[in-house]
mmCIF file with all atom_site columns, all heavy atoms in Angstrom:
data_model
loop_
_atom_site.group_PDB
_atom_site.id
_atom_site.type_symbol
_atom_site.label_atom_id
_atom_site.label_alt_id
_atom_site.label_comp_id
_atom_site.label_asym_id
_atom_site.label_entity_id
_atom_site.label_seq_id
_atom_site.pdbx_PDB_ins_code
_atom_site.Cartn_x
_atom_site.Cartn_y
_atom_site.Cartn_z
_atom_site.occupancy
_atom_site.B_iso_or_equiv
_atom_site.pdbx_formal_charge
_atom_site.auth_seq_id
_atom_site.auth_comp_id
_atom_site.auth_asym_id
_atom_site.auth_atom_id
_atom_site.pdbx_PDB_model_num
ATOM   1   N N   . PHE A 1 15  ? 0.192   -11.480 21.689 1.00 98.00 ? 15  PHE A N   1
ATOM   2   C CA  . PHE A 1 15  ? 0.756   -12.328 20.632 1.00 98.00 ? 15  PHE A CA  1
ATOM   3   C C   . PHE A 1 15  ? 1.972   -13.143 21.108 1.00 98.00 ? 15  PHE A C   1
ATOM   4   O O   . PHE A 1 15  ? 2.193   -14.224 20.622 1.00 98.00 ? 15  PHE A O   1
ATOM   5   C CB  . PHE A 1 15  ? 1.121   -11.459 19.403 1.00 98.00 ? 15  PHE A CB  1
ATOM   6   C CG  . PHE A 1 15  ? -0.074  -11.135 18.527 1.00 98.00 ? 15  PHE A CG  1
ATOM   7   C CD1 . PHE A 1 15  ? -1.386  -11.536 18.850 1.00 98.00 ? 15  PHE A CD1 1
ATOM   8   C CD2 . PHE A 1 15  ? 0.062   -10.456 17.301 1.00 98.00 ? 15  PHE A CD2 1
ATOM   9   C CE1 . PHE A 1 15  ? -2.501  -11.208 18.066 1.00 98.00 ? 15  PHE A CE1 1
ATOM   10  C CE2 . PHE A 1 15  ? -1.030  -10.186 16.499 1.00 98.00 ? 15  PHE A CE2 1
ATOM   11  C CZ  . PHE A 1 15  ? -2.292  -10.546 16.891 1.00 98.00 ? 15  PHE A CZ  1
ATOM   12  N N   . ILE A 1 18  ? 0.115   -16.108 22.621 1.00 98.00 ? 18  ILE A N   1
ATOM   13  C CA  . ILE A 1 18  ? -0.424  -17.017 21.608 1.00 98.00 ? 18  ILE A CA  1
ATOM   14  C C   . ILE A 1 18  ? 0.693   -17.741 20.909 1.00 98.00 ? 18  ILE A C   1
ATOM   15  O O   . ILE A 1 18  ? 0.679   -18.977 20.720 1.00 98.00 ? 18  ILE A O   1
ATOM   16  C CB  . ILE A 1 18  ? -1.320  -16.248 20.617 1.00 98.00 ? 18  ILE A CB  1
ATOM   17  C CG1 . ILE A 1 18  ? -2.544  -15.658 21.333 1.00 98.00 ? 18  ILE A CG1 1
ATOM   18  C CG2 . ILE A 1 18  ? -1.745  -17.199 19.462 1.00 98.00 ? 18  ILE A CG2 1
ATOM   19  C CD1 . ILE A 1 18  ? -3.406  -14.743 20.440 1.00 98.00 ? 18  ILE A CD1 1
ATOM   20  N N   . ILE A 1 37  ? -1.500  -18.522 12.970 1.00 98.00 ? 37  ILE A N   1
ATOM   21  C CA  . ILE A 1 37  ? -2.846  -18.716 13.545 1.00 98.00 ? 37  ILE A CA  1
ATOM   22  C C   . ILE A 1 37  ? -3.860  -17.994 12.687 1.00 98.00 ? 37  ILE A C   1
ATOM   23  O O   . ILE A 1 37  ? -3.502  -17.178 11.844 1.00 98.00 ? 37  ILE A O   1
ATOM   24  C CB  . ILE A 1 37  ? -2.890  -18.122 14.979 1.00 98.00 ? 37  ILE A CB  1
ATOM   25  C CG1 . ILE A 1 37  ? -2.625  -16.601 14.930 1.00 98.00 ? 37  ILE A CG1 1
ATOM   26  C CG2 . ILE A 1 37  ? -1.955  -18.821 15.889 1.00 98.00 ? 37  ILE A CG2 1
ATOM   27  C CD1 . ILE A 1 37  ? -3.024  -15.862 16.207 1.00 98.00 ? 37  ILE A CD1 1
ATOM   28  N N   . PHE A 1 38  ? -5.136  -18.277 12.896 1.00 98.00 ? 38  PHE A N   1
ATOM   29  C CA  . PHE A 1 38  ? -6.190  -17.524 12.207 1.00 98.00 ? 38  PHE A CA  1
ATOM   30  C C   . PHE A 1 38  ? -6.413  -16.178 12.889 1.00 98.00 ? 38  PHE A C   1
ATOM   31  O O   . PHE A 1 38  ? -6.363  -16.106 14.137 1.00 98.00 ? 38  PHE A O   1
ATOM   32  C CB  . PHE A 1 38  ? -7.509  -18.287 12.176 1.00 98.00 ? 38  PHE A CB  1
ATOM   33  C CG  . PHE A 1 38  ? -7.507  -19.511 11.266 1.00 98.00 ? 38  PHE A CG  1
ATOM   34  C CD1 . PHE A 1 38  ? -7.676  -20.759 11.763 1.00 98.00 ? 38  PHE A CD1 1
ATOM   35  C CD2 . PHE A 1 38  ? -7.333  -19.320 9.901  1.00 98.00 ? 38  PHE A CD2 1
ATOM   36  C CE1 . PHE A 1 38  ? -7.615  -21.881 10.870 1.00 98.00 ? 38  PHE A CE1 1
ATOM   37  C CE2 . PHE A 1 38  ? -7.294  -20.365 9.034  1.00 98.00 ? 38  PHE A CE2 1
ATOM   38  C CZ  . PHE A 1 38  ? -7.439  -21.678 9.514  1.00 98.00 ? 38  PHE A CZ  1
ATOM   39  N N   . ASP A 1 39  ? -6.678  -15.146 12.091 1.00 98.00 ? 39  ASP A N   1
ATOM   40  C CA  . ASP A 1 39  ? -6.996  -13.830 12.637 1.00 98.00 ? 39  ASP A CA  1
ATOM   41  C C   . ASP A 1 39  ? -8.432  -13.871 13.243 1.00 98.00 ? 39  ASP A C   1
ATOM   42  O O   . ASP A 1 39  ? -9.338  -14.507 12.733 1.00 98.00 ? 39  ASP A O   1
ATOM   43  C CB  . ASP A 1 39  ? -6.972  -12.802 11.493 1.00 98.00 ? 39  ASP A CB  1
ATOM   44  C CG  . ASP A 1 39  ? -6.961  -11.379 11.983 1.00 98.00 ? 39  ASP A CG  1
ATOM   45  O OD1 . ASP A 1 39  ? -8.005  -10.936 12.551 1.00 98.00 ? 39  ASP A OD1 1
ATOM   46  O OD2 . ASP A 1 39  ? -5.950  -10.688 11.846 1.00 98.00 ? 39  ASP A OD2 1
ATOM   47  N N   . LEU A 1 40  ? -8.523  -13.207 14.386 1.00 97.00 ? 40  LEU A N   1
ATOM   48  C CA  . LEU A 1 40  ? -9.790  -13.132 15.118 1.00 97.00 ? 40  LEU A CA  1
ATOM   49  C C   . LEU A 1 40  ? -10.896 -12.431 14.358 1.00 97.00 ? 40  LEU A C   1
ATOM   50  O O   . LEU A 1 40  ? -12.066 -12.729 14.510 1.00 97.00 ? 40  LEU A O   1
ATOM   51  C CB  . LEU A 1 40  ? -9.544  -12.385 16.456 1.00 97.00 ? 40  LEU A CB  1
ATOM   52  C CG  . LEU A 1 40  ? -10.506 -12.480 17.599 1.00 97.00 ? 40  LEU A CG  1
ATOM   53  C CD1 . LEU A 1 40  ? -10.626 -13.932 18.095 1.00 97.00 ? 40  LEU A CD1 1
ATOM   54  C CD2 . LEU A 1 40  ? -10.033 -11.619 18.752 1.00 97.00 ? 40  LEU A CD2 1
ATOM   55  N N   . GLY A 1 41  ? -10.512 -11.473 13.513 1.00 97.00 ? 41  GLY A N   1
ATOM   56  C CA  . GLY A 1 41  ? -11.475 -10.707 12.706 1.00 97.00 ? 41  GLY A CA  1
ATOM   57  C C   . GLY A 1 41  ? -11.137 -10.800 11.248 1.00 97.00 ? 41  GLY A C   1
ATOM   58  O O   . GLY A 1 41  ? -10.641 -9.846  10.657 1.00 97.00 ? 41  GLY A O   1
ATOM   59  N N   . ASN A 1 95  ? 1.779   -4.393  8.887  1.00 98.00 ? 95  ASN A N   1
ATOM   60  C CA  . ASN A 1 95  ? 1.584   -2.975  9.290  1.00 98.00 ? 95  ASN A CA  1
ATOM   61  C C   . ASN A 1 95  ? 2.574   -2.615  10.424 1.00 98.00 ? 95  ASN A C   1
ATOM   62  O O   . ASN A 1 95  ? 2.824   -3.418  11.336 1.00 98.00 ? 95  ASN A O   1
ATOM   63  C CB  . ASN A 1 95  ? 0.136   -2.762  9.838  1.00 98.00 ? 95  ASN A CB  1
ATOM   64  C CG  . ASN A 1 95  ? -0.898  -3.075  8.774  1.00 98.00 ? 95  ASN A CG  1
ATOM   65  O OD1 . ASN A 1 95  ? -0.715  -2.765  7.606  1.00 98.00 ? 95  ASN A OD1 1
ATOM   66  N ND2 . ASN A 1 95  ? -2.012  -3.648  9.183  1.00 98.00 ? 95  ASN A ND2 1
ATOM   67  N N   . GLY A 1 101 ? -1.717  1.554   10.612 1.00 95.00 ? 101 GLY A N   1
ATOM   68  C CA  . GLY A 1 101 ? -2.817  0.583   10.875 1.00 95.00 ? 101 GLY A CA  1
ATOM   69  C C   . GLY A 1 101 ? -2.423  -0.533  11.804 1.00 95.00 ? 101 GLY A C   1
ATOM   70  O O   . GLY A 1 101 ? -3.202  -1.466  11.977 1.00 95.00 ? 101 GLY A O   1
ATOM   71  N N   . GLN A 1 102 ? -1.233  -0.427  12.433 1.00 98.00 ? 102 GLN A N   1
ATOM   72  C CA  . GLN A 1 102 ? -0.887  -1.503  13.399 1.00 98.00 ? 102 GLN A CA  1
ATOM   73  C C   . GLN A 1 102 ? -1.666  -1.319  14.716 1.00 98.00 ? 102 GLN A C   1
ATOM   74  O O   . GLN A 1 102 ? -1.723  -0.219  15.231 1.00 98.00 ? 102 GLN A O   1
ATOM   75  C CB  . GLN A 1 102 ? 0.647   -1.463  13.700 1.00 98.00 ? 102 GLN A CB  1
ATOM   76  C CG  . GLN A 1 102 ? 1.099   -2.627  14.544 1.00 98.00 ? 102 GLN A CG  1
ATOM   77  C CD  . GLN A 1 102 ? 2.608   -2.669  14.829 1.00 98.00 ? 102 GLN A CD  1
ATOM   78  O OE1 . GLN A 1 102 ? 3.327   -1.726  14.497 1.00 98.00 ? 102 GLN A OE1 1
ATOM   79  N NE2 . GLN A 1 102 ? 3.088   -3.727  15.426 1.00 98.00 ? 102 GLN A NE2 1
ATOM   80  N N   . THR A 1 103 ? -2.308  -2.399  15.126 1.00 98.00 ? 103 THR A N   1
ATOM   81  C CA  . THR A 1 103 ? -3.085  -2.330  16.341 1.00 98.00 ? 103 THR A CA  1
ATOM   82  C C   . THR A 1 103 ? -2.544  -3.231  17.424 1.00 98.00 ? 103 THR A C   1
ATOM   83  O O   . THR A 1 103 ? -2.834  -3.030  18.593 1.00 98.00 ? 103 THR A O   1
ATOM   84  C CB  . THR A 1 103 ? -4.563  -2.678  16.119 1.00 98.00 ? 103 THR A CB  1
ATOM   85  O OG1 . THR A 1 103 ? -4.629  -4.021  15.521 1.00 98.00 ? 103 THR A OG1 1
ATOM   86  C CG2 . THR A 1 103 ? -5.221  -1.718  15.150 1.00 98.00 ? 103 THR A CG2 1
ATOM   87  N N   . VAL A 1 104 ? -1.807  -4.289  17.012 1.00 98.00 ? 104 VAL A N   1
ATOM   88  C CA  . VAL A 1 104 ? -1.131  -5.138  18.026 1.00 98.00 ? 104 VAL A CA  1
ATOM   89  C C   . VAL A 1 104 ? 0.365   -4.968  17.791 1.00 98.00 ? 104 VAL A C   1
ATOM   90  O O   . VAL A 1 104 ? 0.859   -5.248  16.704 1.00 98.00 ? 104 VAL A O   1
ATOM   91  C CB  . VAL A 1 104 ? -1.566  -6.612  17.839 1.00 98.00 ? 104 VAL A CB  1
ATOM   92  C CG1 . VAL A 1 104 ? -0.845  -7.495  18.874 1.00 98.00 ? 104 VAL A CG1 1
ATOM   93  C CG2 . VAL A 1 104 ? -3.064  -6.785  17.965 1.00 98.00 ? 104 VAL A CG2 1
ATOM   94  N N   . HIS A 1 108 ? 3.791   -8.982  13.190 1.00 98.00 ? 108 HIS A N   1
ATOM   95  C CA  . HIS A 1 108 ? 2.998   -10.033 12.635 1.00 98.00 ? 108 HIS A CA  1
ATOM   96  C C   . HIS A 1 108 ? 2.808   -9.776  11.119 1.00 98.00 ? 108 HIS A C   1
ATOM   97  O O   . HIS A 1 108 ? 2.826   -8.611  10.719 1.00 98.00 ? 108 HIS A O   1
ATOM   98  C CB  . HIS A 1 108 ? 1.645   -10.218 13.299 1.00 98.00 ? 108 HIS A CB  1
ATOM   99  C CG  . HIS A 1 108 ? 0.827   -8.978  13.385 1.00 98.00 ? 108 HIS A CG  1
ATOM   100 N ND1 . HIS A 1 108 ? 1.081   -8.015  14.359 1.00 98.00 ? 108 HIS A ND1 1
ATOM   101 C CD2 . HIS A 1 108 ? -0.155  -8.463  12.626 1.00 98.00 ? 108 HIS A CD2 1
ATOM   102 C CE1 . HIS A 1 108 ? 0.262   -7.014  14.202 1.00 98.00 ? 108 HIS A CE1 1
ATOM   103 N NE2 . HIS A 1 108 ? -0.522  -7.269  13.135 1.00 98.00 ? 108 HIS A NE2 1
ATOM   104 N N   . HIS A 1 110 ? 0.210   -10.486 7.954  1.00 98.00 ? 110 HIS A N   1
ATOM   105 C CA  . HIS A 1 110 ? -1.124  -10.958 7.538  1.00 98.00 ? 110 HIS A CA  1
ATOM   106 C C   . HIS A 1 110 ? -1.031  -11.821 6.303  1.00 98.00 ? 110 HIS A C   1
ATOM   107 O O   . HIS A 1 110 ? -0.357  -11.414 5.314  1.00 98.00 ? 110 HIS A O   1
ATOM   108 C CB  . HIS A 1 110 ? -2.031  -9.782  7.250  1.00 98.00 ? 110 HIS A CB  1
ATOM   109 C CG  . HIS A 1 110 ? -2.391  -8.909  8.425  1.00 98.00 ? 110 HIS A CG  1
ATOM   110 N ND1 . HIS A 1 110 ? -3.520  -9.088  9.136  1.00 98.00 ? 110 HIS A ND1 1
ATOM   111 C CD2 . HIS A 1 110 ? -1.717  -7.871  9.002  1.00 98.00 ? 110 HIS A CD2 1
ATOM   112 C CE1 . HIS A 1 110 ? -3.569  -8.196  10.143 1.00 98.00 ? 110 HIS A CE1 1
ATOM   113 N NE2 . HIS A 1 110 ? -2.472  -7.475  10.046 1.00 98.00 ? 110 HIS A NE2 1
HETATM 114 P P1  . 5GP B 2 .   ? -2.710  -5.079  12.750 1.00 73.24 ? 1   5GP B P1  1
HETATM 115 O O1  . 5GP B 2 .   ? -3.846  -4.092  12.580 1.00 73.24 ? 1   5GP B O1  1
HETATM 116 O O2  . 5GP B 2 .   ? -1.916  -4.779  14.047 1.00 73.24 ? 1   5GP B O2  1
HETATM 117 O O3  . 5GP B 2 .   ? -1.834  -5.251  11.573 1.00 73.24 ? 1   5GP B O3  1
HETATM 118 O O4  . 5GP B 2 .   ? -3.393  -6.488  12.929 1.00 73.24 ? 1   5GP B O4  1
HETATM 119 C C1  . 5GP B 2 .   ? -3.784  -7.043  14.153 1.00 73.24 ? 1   5GP B C1  1
HETATM 120 C C2  . 5GP B 2 .   ? -4.710  -8.179  13.819 1.00 73.24 ? 1   5GP B C2  1
HETATM 121 O O5  . 5GP B 2 .   ? -4.762  -9.048  14.917 1.00 73.24 ? 1   5GP B O5  1
HETATM 122 C C3  . 5GP B 2 .   ? -6.140  -7.771  13.506 1.00 73.24 ? 1   5GP B C3  1
HETATM 123 O O6  . 5GP B 2 .   ? -6.469  -8.237  12.196 1.00 73.24 ? 1   5GP B O6  1
HETATM 124 C C4  . 5GP B 2 .   ? -6.974  -8.421  14.569 1.00 73.24 ? 1   5GP B C4  1
HETATM 125 O O7  . 5GP B 2 .   ? -8.180  -8.944  14.099 1.00 73.24 ? 1   5GP B O7  1
HETATM 126 C C5  . 5GP B 2 .   ? -6.045  -9.567  15.065 1.00 73.24 ? 1   5GP B C5  1
HETATM 127 N N1  . 5GP B 2 .   ? -6.159  -9.884  16.460 1.00 73.24 ? 1   5GP B N1  1
HETATM 128 C C6  . 5GP B 2 .   ? -6.205  -8.997  17.510 1.00 73.24 ? 1   5GP B C6  1
HETATM 129 N N2  . 5GP B 2 .   ? -6.235  -9.689  18.683 1.00 73.24 ? 1   5GP B N2  1
HETATM 130 C C7  . 5GP B 2 .   ? -6.238  -11.025 18.354 1.00 73.24 ? 1   5GP B C7  1
HETATM 131 C C8  . 5GP B 2 .   ? -6.287  -12.188 19.148 1.00 73.24 ? 1   5GP B C8  1
HETATM 132 O O8  . 5GP B 2 .   ? -6.322  -12.172 20.376 1.00 73.24 ? 1   5GP B O8  1
HETATM 133 N N3  . 5GP B 2 .   ? -6.239  -13.370 18.480 1.00 73.24 ? 1   5GP B N3  1
HETATM 134 C C9  . 5GP B 2 .   ? -6.194  -13.447 17.132 1.00 73.24 ? 1   5GP B C9  1
HETATM 135 N N4  . 5GP B 2 .   ? -6.169  -14.644 16.556 1.00 73.24 ? 1   5GP B N4  1
HETATM 136 N N5  . 5GP B 2 .   ? -6.143  -12.344 16.356 1.00 73.24 ? 1   5GP B N5  1
HETATM 137 C C10 . 5GP B 2 .   ? -6.198  -11.148 16.945 1.00 73.24 ? 1   5GP B C10 1
#
Side-chain angles (χ1 to χ4, degrees):
F15 279 3
I18 296 172
I37 62 163
F38 287 118
D39 193 291
L40 198 61
N95 300 323
Q102 186 176 9
T103 58
V104 180
H108 52 280
H110 293 264

